[in-house]
């Protein structure tokens, strides 16, 4: 239940979460309001990969630390932390890259950042060079951040020596149930508050007449097909990078992985304009097609899968790959017979991250969508842009529902595997 609740903010656009906070606190402006909203909508980027790493880990190291006299949190550092450090740093990197590329949330709070400056420069046709320069600054910031994340990650080899799954689950007791409020806070700010505001506006007089239910159905279907189609392309793009980073530690592989994170630091409008230019000059038949939009989703959010795949591959004992090699397995057979079965959970998490995030992508969708095709994000933006909040409520609710369904499927898959083990 908590994993489903924690995943919901992934489907809520930052500008919608910002609107919910503004409705609750009209005086919210500037840095702290922007910081609170971005923390709320990006927390799942750490929660999902860390929970997957915990399920794949073991308590053997914690138990050993306790037998040596280490109490409580002191047993956590040499045991659990080393098993989740890679997932934690990868999630933190995703949060940072998302934050520096965000536009909608900070724009509503009138907090000036590079993305708002790029949007203004692109809007002013006479100053496109300034927008390109600001975009390069974002790329430079992303490169520096990826470098330090890799240094902090260090040489992380597989620490798991047992084939058993996590052997001890500690339930929450009555004395620490207050932790539930801490777990619920990001989801409340990032998802439930804006939905509550939207629903309250939906019941205003005359709001029901503004809702076009057939358009809601078509927008939902378009969002699901486009976002998870893009997630599939993004997963295929991230697979070789994640596998290389998980099995090899060389300067070339590190450079490839670093450049693989760059698209996430670029605003959607930059990637959208680049693909528009590419389609018009090279492949005109692709212009304003659903495939080009799905490609944009895959390119934009492919980095979200790299860290998760890398950590999943790195958790596989090297001895299994060595044994399969001695048995005459080809690289393709090792991928199908060894890597894919043992990294399935990580792949599901990566696919979920890309797909749910792509649903709320707005700038690239507005630029690349086929004529007449609407998504939940574009309809939500159009309704809130003209202050038609009652008509926007169904689209906000549908985003939350669509995000909760794959998260629930992910939880059921993990629970089923735990029962089998």
């Amino acid at each position: 239940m908590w994993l489903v609740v924690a995943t919901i903010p992934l489907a809520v656009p930052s500008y919608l979460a910002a609107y919910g906070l503004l409705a609750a606190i009209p005086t919210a402006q500037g840095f702290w309001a922007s910081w609170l909203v971005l923390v709320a909508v990006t927390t799942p980027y750490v929660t999902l990969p860390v929970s997957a790493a915990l399920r794949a880990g073991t308590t053997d190291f914690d138990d050993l630390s306790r037998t040596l006299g280490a109490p409580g949190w002191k047993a956590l550092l040499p045991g659990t932390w080393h098993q989740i450090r890679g997932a934690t740093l990868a999630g933190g990197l995703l949060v940072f890259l998302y934050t520096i590329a965000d536009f909608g949330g900070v724009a509503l709070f009138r907090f000036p950042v590079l993305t708002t400056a790029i949007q203004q420069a692109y809007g002013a046709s006479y100053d496109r060079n300034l927008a390109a320069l600001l975009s390069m600054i974002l790329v430079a910031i992303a490169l520096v951040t990826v470098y330090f994340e890799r240094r902090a990650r260090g040489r992380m080899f597989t620490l798991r020596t047992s084939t058993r799954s996590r052997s001890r689950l500690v339930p929450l007791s009555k004395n620490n149930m207050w932790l539930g409020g801490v777990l619920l806070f990001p989801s409340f700010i990032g998802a439930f508050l804006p939905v509550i505001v939207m629903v309250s506006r939906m019941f205003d007089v005359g709001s029901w007449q503004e809702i076009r239910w057939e358009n809601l159905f078509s927008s939902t279907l378009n969002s699901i097909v486009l976002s998870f189609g893009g997630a599939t392309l993004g997963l295929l793009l991230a697979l070789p990078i994640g596998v290389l980073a998980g099995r090899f530690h060389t300067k070339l592989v590190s450079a490839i992985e670093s450049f693989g994170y760059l698209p996430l630091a670029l605003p959607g409008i930059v990637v959208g304009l680049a693909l528009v230019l590419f389609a018009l000059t090279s492949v005109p038949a692709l212009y304003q097609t659903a495939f080009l939009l799905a490609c944009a989703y895959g390119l934009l959010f492919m980095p979200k899968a790299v860290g998760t795949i890398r950590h999943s591959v790195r958790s596989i004992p090297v001895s299994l790959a060595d044994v399969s090699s001695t048995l005459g397995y080809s690289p393709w057979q090792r991928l199908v017979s060894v890597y894919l079965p043992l990294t399935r959970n990580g792949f599901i998490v990566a696919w979920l991250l890309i797909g749910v995030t792509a649903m709320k992508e707005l700038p690239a969708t507005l630029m690349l969508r086929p004529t007449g095709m609407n998504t939940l994000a574009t309809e939500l933006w159009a309704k809130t842009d003209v202050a038609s909040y009652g008509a926007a409520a169904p689209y906000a609710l549908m985003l939350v529902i669509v995000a909760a369904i794959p998260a629930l499927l992910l939880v059921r898959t993990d629970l089923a595997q735990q029962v089998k083990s």
Side-chain angles (χ1 to χ4, degrees):
M1 182 193 70
W2 284 117
L3 185 58
V4 173
V5 172
T7 306
I8 289 176
L10 282 176
V12 179
S14 59
Y15 60 83
L16 179 57
Y19 169 76
L21 185 60
L22 280 172
I25 308 175
T27 57
Q29 294 290 334
F31 170 79
W32 290 109
S34 304
W35 173 83
L36 180 62
V37 165
L38 289 174
V39 165
V41 299
T42 58
T43 296
Y45 292 135
V46 179
T47 302
L48 284 175
V50 169
S51 63
L54 284 171
R55 282 181 170 84
T58 176
T59 56
D60 291 348
F61 299 104
D62 304 68
D63 298 337
L64 179 61
S65 299
R66 289 180 179 273
T67 59
L68 295 176
W73 63 271
K74 290 185 178 180
L76 176 72
L77 296 179
T80 300
W81 169 244
H82 285 286
Q83 298 180 70
I84 66 173
R85 184 176 66 169
T88 304
L89 293 175
L93 180 62
L94 292 180
V95 171
F96 181 85
L97 295 178
Y98 179 95
T99 301
I100 65 174
D102 181 72
F103 169 76
V106 293
L108 283 180
F109 291 120
R110 299 179 182 179
F111 184 68
V113 293
L114 282 172
T115 51
T116 56
I118 292 173
Q119 181 79 12
Q120 294 170 359
Y122 269 119
S125 58
Y126 57 85
D127 205 3
R128 297 290 175 87
N129 291 332
L130 175 60
L133 177 61
L134 295 176
S135 300
M136 293 303 298
I137 295 176
L138 277 180
V139 173
I141 294 175
L143 278 174
V144 173
T145 306
V146 170
Y147 170 77
F148 282 108
E149 186 268 346
R150 192 170 65 248
R151 289 291 299 271
R153 188 195 319 155
R155 289 180 174 268
M156 294 188 299
F157 299 99
T158 302
L159 296 177
R160 183 172 174 179
T161 58
S162 172
T163 57
R164 294 186 295 110
S165 61
R166 181 158 288 273
S167 57
R168 184 178 65 253
L169 295 176
V170 182
L172 291 177
S173 64
K174 294 181 179 180
N175 295 329
N176 53 21
M177 285 302 294
W178 60 271
L179 290 172
V182 178
L183 297 175
L184 186 61
F185 182 75
S187 298
F188 177 77
I189 297 296
F192 297 127
L193 180 61
V195 169
I196 291 172
V197 171
M198 286 290 183
V199 171
S200 65
R201 296 296 180 90
M202 186 172 64
F203 287 99
D204 290 344
V205 178
S207 295
W208 283 99
Q209 286 73 18
E210 301 180 27
I211 302 175
R212 298 175 56 189
W213 298 103
E214 68 281 358
N215 194 34
L216 174 64
F217 174 78
S218 62
S219 299
T220 303
L221 182 61
N222 292 336
S223 296
I224 294 174
V225 173
L226 289 172
S227 59
F228 285 100
T232 303
L233 293 175
L235 192 63
L236 293 176
L237 292 173
L239 180 61
I241 301 176
V243 172
L244 285 175
R247 300 311 299 175
F248 303 100
H249 190 82
T250 63
K251 292 183 179 180
L252 177 60
V253 172
S254 298
I256 294 174
E257 183 186 3
S258 299
F259 282 106
Y261 281 107
L262 290 184
L264 198 59
L266 293 176
I269 187 174
V270 176
V271 178
L273 282 174
L275 289 178
V276 167
L277 180 62
F278 169 77
L280 291 176
T281 57
S282 302
V283 191
L286 285 179
Y287 181 63
Q288 285 195 330
T289 62
F291 178 75
L292 185 62
L293 181 55
C295 290
Y297 289 158
L299 290 173
L300 275 170
F301 305 117
M302 174 267 294
K304 296 180 182 296
V306 173
T308 304
I309 294 175
R310 181 198 67 228
H311 183 74
S312 299
V313 172
R314 186 163 289 173
S315 65
I316 301 176
V318 180
S319 58
L320 292 181
D322 295 338
V323 169
S324 63
S325 298
T326 60
L327 293 176
Y329 278 49
S330 65
W332 173 255
Q333 290 175 320
R334 290 199 298 271
L335 177 65
V336 174
S337 303
V338 178
Y339 289 108
L340 291 183
L342 295 178
T343 58
R344 182 176 58 181
N345 280 356
F347 284 8
I348 293 176
V349 170
W351 188 69
L352 173 67
L353 281 172
I354 300 176
V356 175
T357 308
M359 288 185 189
K360 60 182 181 180
E361 168 58 29
L362 183 64
T365 307
L366 291 174
M367 298 182 63
L368 298 172
R369 60 175 175 163
T371 302
M373 176 179 285
N374 294 319
T375 66
L376 291 173
T378 58
E379 287 294 307
L380 184 58
W381 174 262
K383 297 296 187 299
T384 54
D385 190 44
V386 297
S388 182
Y389 300 112
Y395 298 95
L397 291 173
M398 190 58 67
L399 272 176
V400 173
I401 294 173
V402 173
I405 292 175
L408 180 60
L409 293 176
L410 174 63
V411 174
R412 291 175 64 88
T413 301
D414 288 345
L415 291 178
Q417 287 194 337
Q418 290 181 16
V419 171
K420 291 179 181 179
S421 61

